[in-house]
mmCIF file of all heavy atoms in Angstrom:
data_model
loop_
_atom_site.group_PDB
_atom_site.id
_atom_site.type_symbol
_atom_site.label_atom_id
_atom_site.label_comp_id
_atom_site.label_asym_id
_atom_site.label_seq_id
_atom_site.Cartn_x
_atom_site.Cartn_y
_atom_site.Cartn_z
ATOM 1 N N GLY P 1 141.598 -66.287 -14.074
ATOM 2 C CA GLY P 1 140.909 -67.265 -14.904
ATOM 3 C C GLY P 1 141.656 -67.582 -16.180
ATOM 4 O O GLY P 1 142.779 -67.123 -16.411
ATOM 5 N N TYR P 2 141.014 -68.364 -17.045
ATOM 6 C CA TYR P 2 141.670 -68.784 -18.282
ATOM 7 C C TYR P 2 141.934 -67.608 -19.224
ATOM 8 O O TYR P 2 143.036 -67.461 -19.755
ATOM 9 C CB TYR P 2 140.802 -69.822 -19.001
ATOM 10 C CG TYR P 2 140.705 -71.155 -18.304
ATOM 11 C CD1 TYR P 2 139.487 -71.813 -18.189
ATOM 12 C CD2 TYR P 2 141.838 -71.770 -17.772
ATOM 13 C CE1 TYR P 2 139.392 -73.047 -17.555
ATOM 14 C CE2 TYR P 2 141.751 -72.997 -17.130
ATOM 15 C CZ TYR P 2 140.525 -73.635 -17.031
ATOM 16 O OH TYR P 2 140.438 -74.848 -16.404
ATOM 17 N N THR P 3 140.929 -66.749 -19.449
ATOM 18 C CA THR P 3 141.136 -65.631 -20.369
ATOM 19 C C THR P 3 142.145 -64.640 -19.797
ATOM 20 O O THR P 3 142.959 -64.079 -20.531
ATOM 21 C CB THR P 3 139.811 -64.912 -20.676
ATOM 22 O OG1 THR P 3 139.201 -64.480 -19.465
ATOM 23 C CG2 THR P 3 138.863 -65.826 -21.427
ATOM 24 N N GLY P 4 142.094 -64.428 -18.464
ATOM 25 C CA GLY P 4 143.074 -63.556 -17.834
ATOM 26 C C GLY P 4 144.480 -64.089 -17.986
ATOM 27 O O GLY P 4 145.416 -63.339 -18.282
ATOM 28 N N GLY P 5 144.655 -65.397 -17.797
ATOM 29 C CA GLY P 5 145.979 -66.000 -17.956
ATOM 30 C C GLY P 5 146.513 -65.876 -19.366
ATOM 31 O O GLY P 5 147.699 -65.571 -19.565
ATOM 32 N N GLU P 6 145.648 -66.092 -20.351
ATOM 33 C CA GLU P 6 146.085 -65.940 -21.737
ATOM 34 C C GLU P 6 146.444 -64.488 -22.043
ATOM 35 O O GLU P 6 147.417 -64.201 -22.751
ATOM 36 C CB GLU P 6 144.986 -66.409 -22.689
ATOM 37 C CG GLU P 6 144.885 -67.914 -22.834
ATOM 38 C CD GLU P 6 146.137 -68.499 -23.457
ATOM 39 O OE1 GLU P 6 146.227 -68.560 -24.699
ATOM 40 O OE2 GLU P 6 147.048 -68.887 -22.705
ATOM 41 N N LEU P 7 145.675 -63.564 -21.506
ATOM 42 C CA LEU P 7 145.944 -62.150 -21.740
ATOM 43 C C LEU P 7 147.269 -61.728 -21.118
ATOM 44 O O LEU P 7 148.047 -60.973 -21.721
ATOM 45 C CB LEU P 7 144.793 -61.319 -21.186
ATOM 46 C CG LEU P 7 144.704 -59.860 -21.615
ATOM 47 C CD1 LEU P 7 144.773 -59.703 -23.128
ATOM 48 C CD2 LEU P 7 143.409 -59.255 -21.083
ATOM 49 N N ILE P 8 147.555 -62.210 -19.912
ATOM 50 C CA ILE P 8 148.846 -61.916 -19.279
ATOM 51 C C ILE P 8 149.975 -62.415 -20.172
ATOM 52 O O ILE P 8 150.954 -61.701 -20.431
ATOM 53 C CB ILE P 8 148.933 -62.566 -17.895
ATOM 54 C CG1 ILE P 8 147.912 -61.948 -16.941
ATOM 55 C CG2 ILE P 8 150.344 -62.423 -17.317
ATOM 56 C CD1 ILE P 8 147.732 -62.720 -15.644
ATOM 57 N N ARG P 9 149.860 -63.640 -20.632
ATOM 58 C CA ARG P 9 150.897 -64.225 -21.498
ATOM 59 C C ARG P 9 151.126 -63.377 -22.743
ATOM 60 O O ARG P 9 152.279 -63.083 -23.118
ATOM 61 C CB ARG P 9 150.485 -65.641 -21.906
ATOM 62 C CG ARG P 9 151.441 -66.318 -22.888
ATOM 63 C CD ARG P 9 151.017 -67.753 -23.134
ATOM 64 N NE ARG P 9 149.836 -67.868 -23.967
ATOM 65 C CZ ARG P 9 149.855 -68.001 -25.300
ATOM 66 N NH1 ARG P 9 151.014 -67.992 -25.938
ATOM 67 N NH2 ARG P 9 148.732 -68.137 -25.980
ATOM 68 N N LEU P 10 150.058 -62.955 -23.381
ATOM 69 C CA LEU P 10 150.177 -62.175 -24.608
ATOM 70 C C LEU P 10 150.751 -60.785 -24.338
ATOM 71 O O LEU P 10 151.602 -60.296 -25.097
ATOM 72 C CB LEU P 10 148.814 -62.063 -25.292
ATOM 73 C CG LEU P 10 148.216 -63.382 -25.799
ATOM 74 C CD1 LEU P 10 146.787 -63.169 -26.273
ATOM 75 C CD2 LEU P 10 149.070 -63.974 -26.912
ATOM 76 N N LEU P 11 150.304 -60.139 -23.268
ATOM 77 C CA LEU P 11 150.780 -58.785 -22.964
ATOM 78 C C LEU P 11 152.257 -58.789 -22.564
ATOM 79 O O LEU P 11 152.999 -57.852 -22.896
ATOM 80 C CB LEU P 11 149.934 -58.166 -21.856
ATOM 81 C CG LEU P 11 148.505 -57.774 -22.245
ATOM 82 C CD1 LEU P 11 147.718 -57.360 -21.010
ATOM 83 C CD2 LEU P 11 148.514 -56.646 -23.271
ATOM 84 N N LEU P 12 152.699 -59.824 -21.857
ATOM 85 C CA LEU P 12 154.112 -59.904 -21.469
ATOM 86 C C LEU P 12 155.027 -60.000 -22.688
ATOM 87 O O LEU P 12 156.206 -59.634 -22.613
ATOM 88 C CB LEU P 12 154.340 -61.116 -20.563
ATOM 89 C CG LEU P 12 153.788 -61.014 -19.137
ATOM 90 C CD1 LEU P 12 153.959 -62.337 -18.409
ATOM 91 C CD2 LEU P 12 154.479 -59.888 -18.367
ATOM 92 N N ASN P 13 154.491 -60.472 -23.797
ATOM 93 C CA ASN P 13 155.291 -60.623 -25.008
ATOM 94 C C ASN P 13 155.019 -59.543 -26.044
ATOM 95 O O ASN P 13 155.452 -59.670 -27.191
ATOM 96 C CB ASN P 13 155.042 -62.010 -25.619
ATOM 97 C CG ASN P 13 155.688 -63.116 -24.814
ATOM 98 O OD1 ASN P 13 156.889 -63.315 -24.847
ATOM 99 N ND2 ASN P 13 154.876 -63.836 -24.046
ATOM 100 N N HIS P 14 154.295 -58.493 -25.635
ATOM 101 C CA HIS P 14 154.004 -57.371 -26.522
ATOM 102 C C HIS P 14 155.059 -56.293 -26.307
ATOM 103 O O HIS P 14 155.243 -55.815 -25.180
ATOM 104 C CB HIS P 14 152.610 -56.826 -26.235
ATOM 105 C CG HIS P 14 152.059 -55.933 -27.300
ATOM 106 N ND1 HIS P 14 152.605 -54.701 -27.600
ATOM 107 C CD2 HIS P 14 151.009 -56.095 -28.147
ATOM 108 C CE1 HIS P 14 151.901 -54.139 -28.569
ATOM 109 N NE2 HIS P 14 150.929 -54.967 -28.918
ATOM 110 N N ARG P 15 155.756 -55.900 -27.343
ATOM 111 C CA ARG P 15 156.900 -54.995 -27.190
ATOM 112 C C ARG P 15 156.510 -53.560 -26.841
ATOM 113 O O ARG P 15 157.372 -52.754 -26.460
ATOM 114 C CB ARG P 15 157.733 -54.989 -28.464
ATOM 115 C CG ARG P 15 157.002 -54.492 -29.704
ATOM 116 C CD ARG P 15 157.873 -54.592 -30.923
ATOM 117 N NE ARG P 15 157.167 -54.152 -32.133
ATOM 118 C CZ ARG P 15 157.702 -54.147 -33.355
ATOM 119 N NH1 ARG P 15 158.953 -54.562 -33.507
ATOM 120 N NH2 ARG P 15 157.010 -53.739 -34.388
ATOM 121 N N SER P 16 155.218 -53.205 -26.954
ATOM 122 C CA SER P 16 154.809 -51.818 -26.702
ATOM 123 C C SER P 16 153.920 -51.674 -25.482
ATOM 124 O O SER P 16 153.285 -50.642 -25.296
ATOM 125 C CB SER P 16 154.088 -51.255 -27.934
ATOM 126 O OG SER P 16 154.937 -51.239 -29.059
ATOM 127 N N VAL P 17 153.844 -52.714 -24.649
ATOM 128 C CA VAL P 17 152.956 -52.690 -23.481
ATOM 129 C C VAL P 17 153.734 -53.040 -22.217
ATOM 130 O O VAL P 17 154.520 -53.993 -22.207
ATOM 131 C CB VAL P 17 151.785 -53.679 -23.650
ATOM 132 C CG1 VAL P 17 150.906 -53.688 -22.395
ATOM 133 C CG2 VAL P 17 150.939 -53.312 -24.860
ATOM 134 N N ALA P 18 153.496 -52.271 -21.176
ATOM 135 C CA ALA P 18 154.000 -52.603 -19.837
ATOM 136 C C ALA P 18 152.793 -52.993 -18.992
ATOM 137 O O ALA P 18 151.865 -52.190 -18.819
ATOM 138 C CB ALA P 18 154.721 -51.417 -19.222
ATOM 139 N N LEU P 19 152.794 -54.215 -18.480
ATOM 140 C CA LEU P 19 151.682 -54.689 -17.666
ATOM 141 C C LEU P 19 151.811 -54.079 -16.269
ATOM 142 O O LEU P 19 152.726 -54.409 -15.515
ATOM 143 C CB LEU P 19 151.692 -56.217 -17.605
ATOM 144 C CG LEU P 19 150.515 -56.885 -16.874
ATOM 145 C CD1 LEU P 19 149.184 -56.428 -17.441
ATOM 146 C CD2 LEU P 19 150.644 -58.404 -16.952
ATOM 147 N N ASP P 20 150.892 -53.187 -15.922
ATOM 148 C CA ASP P 20 150.971 -52.418 -14.687
ATOM 149 C C ASP P 20 150.411 -53.190 -13.494
ATOM 150 O O ASP P 20 151.015 -53.215 -12.418
ATOM 151 C CB ASP P 20 150.208 -51.101 -14.862
ATOM 152 C CG ASP P 20 150.377 -50.176 -13.680
ATOM 153 O OD1 ASP P 20 149.575 -50.270 -12.720
ATOM 154 O OD2 ASP P 20 151.305 -49.360 -13.700
ATOM 155 N N PHE P 21 149.251 -53.802 -13.648
ATOM 156 C CA PHE P 21 148.655 -54.547 -12.542
ATOM 157 C C PHE P 21 147.711 -55.616 -13.080
ATOM 158 O O PHE P 21 147.177 -55.511 -14.177
ATOM 159 C CB PHE P 21 147.901 -53.623 -11.577
ATOM 160 C CG PHE P 21 146.623 -53.047 -12.147
ATOM 161 C CD1 PHE P 21 145.415 -53.731 -12.043
ATOM 162 C CD2 PHE P 21 146.630 -51.814 -12.789
ATOM 163 C CE1 PHE P 21 144.247 -53.202 -12.568
ATOM 164 C CE2 PHE P 21 145.467 -51.276 -13.318
ATOM 165 C CZ PHE P 21 144.270 -51.973 -13.201
ATOM 166 N N VAL P 22 147.525 -56.648 -12.261
ATOM 167 C CA VAL P 22 146.529 -57.693 -12.530
ATOM 168 C C VAL P 22 145.699 -57.819 -11.262
ATOM 169 O O VAL P 22 146.163 -58.346 -10.254
ATOM 170 C CB VAL P 22 147.188 -59.043 -12.895
ATOM 171 C CG1 VAL P 22 146.104 -60.080 -13.180
ATOM 172 C CG2 VAL P 22 148.123 -58.879 -14.088
ATOM 173 N N PHE P 23 144.487 -57.324 -11.313
ATOM 174 C CA PHE P 23 143.628 -57.234 -10.126
ATOM 175 C C PHE P 23 142.883 -58.547 -9.915
ATOM 176 O O PHE P 23 142.309 -59.122 -10.843
ATOM 177 C CB PHE P 23 142.628 -56.093 -10.311
ATOM 178 C CG PHE P 23 141.611 -55.977 -9.207
ATOM 179 C CD1 PHE P 23 141.922 -55.323 -8.035
ATOM 180 C CD2 PHE P 23 140.342 -56.519 -9.358
ATOM 181 C CE1 PHE P 23 140.981 -55.201 -7.018
ATOM 182 C CE2 PHE P 23 139.399 -56.399 -8.348
ATOM 183 C CZ PHE P 23 139.716 -55.741 -7.176
ATOM 184 N N SER P 24 142.888 -59.031 -8.676
ATOM 185 C CA SER P 24 142.149 -60.235 -8.329
ATOM 186 C C SER P 24 141.690 -60.144 -6.888
ATOM 187 O O SER P 24 142.498 -59.880 -5.993
ATOM 188 C CB SER P 24 143.013 -61.491 -8.517
ATOM 189 O OG SER P 24 142.350 -62.646 -8.047
#
């Protein structure tokens, strides 16, 4: 969804976070 997409974008650009999974 929209909030999920924005969160993915923000987390991908966060220097201290590794995005492990996006469940759908």
Side-chain angles (χ1 to χ4, degrees):
Y2 291 136
T3 56
E6 282 296 273
L7 194 51
I8 295 168
R9 176 175 74 92
L10 295 172
L11 289 172
L12 288 174
N13 287 285
H14 196 294
R15 62 183 178 181
S16 298
V17 177
L19 185 54
D20 187 271
F21 70 88
V22 181
F23 175 82
S24 174

